[in-house]
Amino acid sequence: MVNKKNLLSIGELSKITGVHIKALRYYDSLGILIPTYVDPDSGYRYYSFYHKALVDAIKFCVELDIPLNRFSEFTNNDGPWICYADLIEHGSAIVEEKIKVMQERLVRLRIMQAEIRRSEISYQRTHPQKYTLPARDCWITPYSGKQACEESRLLIKKLIMEIHRQGLHLGNEYGLLLMRQKDQWKQYLFVDVSVSKNELDKYPQIIRIPEGHYLCQKVESSDVNYVWNWIPKFVTEKQIQYVIETELFTGNYYFSNPVLELRCLLYD
């Protein structure tokens, strides 16, 4: 005969662990928190004090996103025992990976913050400004028109879907590009992608524009060749590597009617 007075009711276990009764029942259904005794008449569950340690270990798994279907790898209900050494080692590896991912995200956020600050300055200035901008990878295709028209939208959609089919990471920027080829400037439409240096050779459609010094000017409408109207006052044509027309990433981003910027990458 089981003496229920020596056991914890499910409500009492819930109170001392801070875990909702529904969750405790769910853990039972998974077979990872089997009660010491279930009253055959009422169906009430009763637990021993060691179940608190089990619940704590389950909470540890939940907090670290360790799948509960793997919990049995760290316990033995016949013992019962919990292999905290393995659990902590596995949890530490998960935390380290999360830290790595969060650090990478933080770097991206810092880059975005810096670009917003730069864009705000460029937006407010009426004269060209010089900035150092990071490298970028662009999937390009020949195109002679302007942005924000039916032809460019259809072509951008085509590029986006092709990038997706190739399993590449799609960026958020697109625009027009002027690139010198055999002493002539050729115009392209581009979409940003992310690829490793080893993958570049696989995709002749992708070019890597290096980090460098840019002369940037806000413009009211799309026409990448407008650059030749103002750039001669500041540099010669031979000093320019690429000309990019893309959106300004301001703090208040008007995605339906973005402000454009012309960026001239200069030779050092």
Side-chain angles (χ1 to χ4, degrees):
M1 182 70 179
V2 175
N3 187 353
K4 293 185 290 187
K5 293 182 179 180
N6 297 330
L7 301 176
L8 297 169
S9 69
I10 192 171
E12 291 169 331
L13 184 62
S14 174
K15 288 179 181 178
I16 65 174
T17 60
V19 176
H20 198 277
I21 289 176
K22 288 184 178 179
L24 296 177
R25 290 175 180 150
Y26 174 64
Y27 300 153
D28 182 10
S29 70
L30 295 178
I32 61 175
L33 188 69
I34 299 174
T36 300
Y37 174 70
V38 178
D39 191 304
D41 297 322
S42 65
Y44 288 170
R45 297 168 173 85
Y46 292 89
Y47 300 86
S48 301
F49 182 67
Y50 74 80
H51 281 98
K52 178 187 179 300
L54 269 175
V55 174
D56 288 343
I58 293 171
K59 288 168 62 178
F60 184 79
C61 290
V62 171
E63 291 168 358
L64 294 176
D65 295 327
I66 298 174
L68 292 183
N69 60 8
R70 295 194 57 191
F71 186 71
S72 60
E73 298 175 20
F74 309 104
T75 63
N76 185 328
N77 288 323
D78 296 333
W81 50 259
I82 303 170
C83 187
Y84 269 111
D86 290 347
L87 185 57
I88 291 172
E89 182 178 359
H90 186 65
S92 297
I94 291 176
V95 170
E96 288 170 358
E97 181 61 27
K98 286 185 176 182
I99 291 173
K100 178 183 176 183
V101 170
M102 295 306 293
Q103 286 175 335
E104 291 172 351
R105 290 178 180 174
L106 183 59
V107 168
R108 290 199 297 270
L109 289 173
R110 293 286 185 259
I111 292 172
M112 292 174 70
Q113 285 179 324
E115 177 57 19
I116 287 175
R117 289 193 293 267
R118 186 203 70 79
S119 295
E120 293 287 356
I121 295 172
S122 188
Y123 179 76
Q124 295 168 9
R125 302 289 173 83
T126 57
H127 299 291
Q129 303 293 311
K130 195 172 185 179
Y131 304 99
T132 300
L133 300 181
R136 67 194 303 162
D137 297 322
C138 302
W139 186 294
I140 64 173
T141 190
Y143 175 71
S144 59
K146 299 180 181 182
Q147 294 193 67
C149 64
E150 190 67 20
E151 184 182 4
S152 70
R153 293 190 185 100
L154 289 172
L155 192 51
I156 287 170
K157 178 182 177 180
K158 181 179 178 181
L159 295 185
I160 289 172
M161 298 311 297
E162 180 59 28
I163 292 168
H164 174 72
R165 280 192 290 270
Q166 295 295 330
L168 300 176
H169 180 72
L170 181 67
N172 293 321
E173 289 193 17
Y174 63 90
L176 303 178
L177 171 70
L178 289 179
M179 184 166 55
R180 198 199 317 262
Q181 294 176 318
K182 296 181 180 180
D183 295 327
Q184 289 188 337
W185 290 95
K186 302 292 185 179
Q187 181 175 322
Y188 298 86
L189 191 70
F190 77 86
V191 175
D192 276 356
V193 294
S194 294
V195 294
S196 66
K197 290 183 178 180
N198 296 332
E199 290 180 305
L200 277 176
D201 293 339
K202 293 170 54 180
Y203 302 100
Q205 311 94 323
I206 299 177
I207 64 167
R208 173 158 291 177
I209 300 177
E211 177 183 359
H213 301 301
Y214 285 77
L215 201 59
C216 302
Q217 172 69 60
K218 179 184 71 174
V219 291
E220 300 299 329
S221 59
S222 175
D223 184 359
V224 69
N225 284 288
Y226 175 72
V227 68
W228 308 122
N229 290 0
W230 58 269
I231 199 66
K233 299 177 183 178
F234 304 97
V235 295
T236 66
E237 183 179 333
K238 291 183 178 180
Q239 292 176 273
I240 302 171
Q241 293 190 59
Y242 298 97
V243 179
I244 297 171
E245 180 192 280
T246 190
E247 300 173 2
L248 266 176
F249 185 45
T250 53
N252 293 323
Y253 177 63
Y254 298 98
F255 55 85
S256 60
N257 188 28
V259 178
L260 299 175
E261 181 180 57
L262 284 169
R263 304 172 185 174
C264 299
L265 175 61
L266 307 177
Y267 286 105
D268 292 330

